[in-house]
Amino acid sequence: MLTRDIIVIGASAGGVEALTALVRRLPPDLPASIFVVQHVPSEHKSMLPRILGAAGKLPVTHPADGEKFERSQVYVAPSDHHLLLEEGHMRVVRGPRENGYRPAADTLFRSAARTYGPRVIGAVLTGALDDGTAGLIAIKQQGGFAVVQKPEEAYCADMPRSALEHVDVDEVVTIAELARQLPKWARQGAPARGSRQLLQPLLEQPAPFTCPACGGVLNEIHEGKLTRFRCRVGHAYNPESLQHAQALDLESALWAALRALEEQSELARRLATRARSIKQT
């Protein structure tokens, strides 16, 4: 009998505290493998395995590319690398950023849904913007189980609220409730997987926007209740993430324009001073 033995978790702002509280409560014989994406700046080394390993009874590691995974273990995406699931093993790769992040929850969730379908439990925890929403849609499309942290408990409620707005989730829980329920859910039988559903969007068309990461044309993707955007090389954005990236680009452009105006003004002053000096000689 298939069970829900693949647990994927996405978190961002406030995630270290939430994940620590979760792992502290999990039993050492959890009949599932846990895979975690916590947003970390690419230039910083993630210390999450050490933190979570000290907090709970489950082994916690950064996996190597191609490593096989085991039950009753937690695998954390390394800094600046996506964590993907394939049949029986993990991939750790530096693919295009999604929602401005690498690692990204959407990337992990989508790969888990594609490979393991109804065996997957996907959980979106505290975090800013909307990473994890598209991945949770993919999990539900493939018969998986979707869980969201209660927004009122989350340190930053953006990610849970986005998931609740766009996904018909199965449970909305506190961290303490999630820790109590995960062992039970993991032992429950997963529904049989029918004909394989494609994770390709129903409609994809060019959008009048450029990719904030590379300047390429973005395609608009309609997937369930969610509209996403993706460029040719694979940079992908959910709506709030794209707005955030555009706002950063706009601010950079305004500062560049201000610098250019100040430099032009300074050049004009210097030329005027030089011209007066020549005229007086």
Side-chain angles (χ1 to χ4, degrees):
M1 180 182 71
L2 292 179
T3 58
R4 299 192 188 277
D5 58 346
I6 303 294
I7 301 171
V8 292
I9 300 174
S12 186
V16 175
E17 293 79 6
L19 290 165
T20 301
L22 173 63
V23 170
R24 183 183 294 123
R25 294 175 168 91
L26 292 176
D29 60 346
L30 182 73
S33 305
I34 298 181
F35 307 89
V36 174
V37 161
Q38 164 68 43
H39 295 160
V40 179
S42 58
E43 64 274 14
H44 294 165
K45 180 181 179 181
S46 171
M47 302 302 293
L48 194 56
R50 181 181 300 180
I51 295 169
L52 299 184
K57 299 175 182 178
L58 294 171
V60 186
T61 62
H62 283 316
D65 186 35
E67 181 180 341
K68 294 181 179 181
F69 57 84
E70 305 290 340
R71 289 188 174 188
S72 305
Q73 184 147 338
V74 181
Y75 301 94
V76 178
S79 300
D80 203 31
H81 287 77
H82 290 307
L83 176 60
L84 308 175
L85 299 188
E86 295 187 356
E87 195 65 49
H89 67 278
M90 296 164 284
R91 296 298 314 278
V92 179
V93 300
R94 295 190 75 250
R97 295 177 182 271
E98 289 209 28
N99 303 310
Y101 295 109
R102 188 174 56 222
D106 277 347
T107 310
L108 170 62
F109 287 14
R110 194 178 297 115
S111 70
R114 182 182 296 111
T115 306
Y116 293 103
R119 292 169 59 184
V120 178
I121 299 173
V124 171
L125 307 185
T126 174
L129 302 177
D130 51 4
D131 189 28
T133 297
L136 212 55
I137 289 174
I139 288 172
K140 288 292 292 181
Q141 286 177 344
Q142 297 299 303
F145 194 81
V147 185
V148 173
Q149 182 182 8
K150 286 186 176 179
E152 55 268 30
E153 182 198 54
Y155 173 82
C156 182
D158 292 359
M159 281 172 52
R161 284 176 179 161
S162 175
L164 289 173
E165 181 180 349
H166 295 96
V167 187
D168 295 324
V169 304
D170 297 287
E171 296 284 347
V172 183
V173 295
T174 65
I175 292 298
E177 291 167 344
L178 179 61
R180 285 196 300 269
Q181 294 295 333
L182 273 180
K184 182 180 74 173
W185 293 336
R187 291 185 175 92
Q188 287 178 344
R193 189 166 190 170
S195 58
R196 189 180 184 90
Q197 296 184 44
L198 297 178
L199 294 183
Q200 297 298 321
L202 297 177
L203 177 63
E204 183 168 347
Q205 59 188 14
F209 312 119
T210 57
C211 175
C214 67
V217 174
L218 286 172
N219 284 330
E220 183 175 319
I221 304 165
H222 298 278
E223 194 170 30
K225 301 178 184 178
L226 183 68
T227 298
R228 298 192 297 121
F229 301 89
R230 182 175 59 202
C231 75
R232 183 182 184 90
V233 301
H235 298 116
Y237 298 89
N238 296 337
E240 291 182 26
S241 298
L242 180 58
Q243 285 184 321
H244 178 69
Q246 288 178 332
L248 292 177
D249 275 359
L250 177 59
E251 183 176 1
S252 297
L254 290 173
W255 283 116
L258 180 59
R259 185 197 67 238
L261 288 170
E262 290 182 344
E263 289 179 355
Q264 187 178 47
S265 176
E266 178 62 22
L267 177 60
R269 283 195 296 269
R270 293 192 178 200
L271 290 175
T273 300
R274 177 63 176 167
R276 286 194 297 269
S277 174
I278 293 174
K279 187 176 181 179
Q280 291 173 358
T281 57

